[in-house]
């Protein structure tokens, strides 16, 4: 089966509430390809490797969290940008990207899916645009126990700053490069904070506040939203969908 690209585009704008966000780049259709959509490849980032894999899979549409265009970047179509765009345009492939809307969505978003993967029950939100999630594990954990749960679920060991060793009964999380949300998580009453990255100040905040900090990888924490959204679109419009994970150590 297939659907019109413009129909899917309109549906996605409503579903993802794109007008609610002041984002770092455009959300929705970033590169126009074929007018009909039948086969979607989803992934985290619109890298050359993902686009090449989509071509090999016979996709007419690529759906990602990290698109091609960002505020403040060099606008010239040279080097890596030329190679990515050239491949998309040569094969007439649509590129859809959803950044903050895909972090925030309460069911299909990166944070919602990560929480479900970890077995956390959501009971609140925090931060700008309510991007951060708050919730509880089935039972309180020590920091090593939460680190082990993350390692098992995500396939990589997190960087951990253990805080004061308190039992972790309330968890805050925000995927990707959300280390700047740590102070808001502390203010929201979290015993631990999970995100993708850590910068120099967060280790001090964890030690001084007693709130444990877990950095589990930007890519590793955001493998779930685009996949869930692709599956949702496949079910709604009767499309083929395949998630392709391009390994990234970051």
């Amino acid at each position: 089966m297939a659907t019109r690209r413009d129909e899917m585009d309109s549906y996605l704008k409503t579903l993802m509430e794109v007008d609610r966000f002041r984002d770092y780049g455009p959300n929705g259709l970033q590169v126009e390809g074929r007018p009909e959509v039948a086969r979607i490849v989803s992934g985290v980032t619109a890298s050359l490797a993902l686009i090449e894999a989509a071509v090999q899979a016979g996709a007419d549409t690529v759906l990602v969290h990290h698109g091609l265009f960002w505020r403040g970047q060099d606008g010239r179509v040279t080097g890596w940008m030329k190679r990515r765009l050239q491949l998309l345009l040569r094969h007439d492939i649509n590129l859809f990207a959803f950044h903050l809307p895909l972090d925030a969505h309460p069911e299909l978003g990166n944070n919602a899916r990560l929480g479900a993967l970890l077995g956390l029950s959501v009971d609140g939100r925090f931060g700008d645009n309510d991007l951060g999630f708050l919730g509880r594990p089935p039972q309180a954990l020590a920091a090593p126990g939460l680190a082990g749960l993350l390692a098992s679920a995500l396939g990589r060991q997190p960087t951990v700053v253990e805080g004061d060793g308190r039992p972790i009964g309330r968890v805050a999380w925000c995927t990707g490069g959300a280390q700047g949300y740590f102070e808001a998580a502390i203010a929201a009453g979290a015993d631990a904070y999970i995100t993708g990255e850590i910068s120099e100040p967060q280790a001090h905040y964890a030690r001084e506040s007693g709130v444990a900090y877990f950095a589990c990888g930007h890519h590793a924490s955001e493998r779930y939203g685009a996949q869930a959204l692709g599956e949702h679109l496949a079910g709604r419009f009767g499309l083929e969908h395949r998630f392709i994970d391009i390994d990234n150590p970051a």
Side-chain angles (χ1 to χ4, degrees), residues 9-240:
D9 185 27
S10 178
Y11 173 76
L12 281 166
K13 286 176 181 175
T14 301
L15 175 69
M16 304 308 292
E17 298 183 289
V18 297
D19 292 338
R20 186 164 72 84
F21 298 88
R22 296 184 62 189
D23 212 334
Y24 305 97
N27 289 296
L29 183 65
Q30 290 196 345
V31 178
E32 185 178 297
R34 277 164 262 181
E36 288 201 344
V37 174
R39 183 174 295 171
I40 299 173
V41 160
S42 65
V44 177
T45 298
S47 63
L48 184 63
L50 180 66
I51 297 167
E52 289 172 336
V55 170
Q56 289 296 314
D60 49 59
T61 300
V62 173
L63 171 68
V64 296
H65 179 48
H66 302 134
L68 289 181
F69 307 109
W70 300 95
R71 186 174 62 214
Q73 75 183 42
D74 188 335
R76 291 173 292 182
V77 182
T78 59
W80 63 267
M81 178 65 84
K82 178 199 170 182
R83 291 191 290 274
R84 295 184 193 184
L85 277 173
Q86 188 174 51
L87 197 56
L88 288 167
L89 295 171
R90 181 188 303 151
H91 294 275
D92 210 15
I93 294 174
N94 298 292
L95 174 66
F96 285 86
F98 294 94
H99 186 231
L100 296 184
L102 193 58
D103 290 321
H105 195 276
E107 297 174 5
L108 303 173
N110 286 314
N111 286 310
R113 301 318 305 156
L114 180 62
L117 181 69
L118 297 175
L120 301 173
S121 59
V122 178
D123 60 17
R125 305 282 287 267
F126 73 98
D128 294 341
N129 293 302
D130 285 336
L131 288 184
F133 280 48
L134 292 158
R136 300 182 181 278
Q139 59 186 28
L141 298 167
L146 183 53
L149 177 62
L150 284 164
S152 177
L154 302 183
R156 59 180 289 167
Q157 292 291 331
T159 297
V160 181
V161 184
E162 291 197 10
D164 61 9
R166 72 183 71 172
I168 298 171
R170 187 159 174 78
V171 180
W173 68 98
C174 191
T175 63
Q179 57 267 54
Y181 274 44
F182 187 31
E183 290 173 272
I186 295 169
D191 301 312
Y193 181 58
I194 300 168
T195 188
E197 301 181 12
I198 185 169
S199 298
E200 193 273 346
Q202 283 77 51
H204 299 292
Y205 297 157
R207 291 167 182 151
E208 294 168 22
S209 69
V211 176
Y213 190 103
F214 299 80
C216 52
H218 193 133
H219 176 89
S221 69
E222 294 193 326
R223 288 181 297 202
Y224 309 103
Q227 183 175 7
L229 182 56
E231 290 171 355
H232 174 82
L233 293 172
R236 180 175 179 85
F237 293 104
L239 310 174
E240 294 182 41

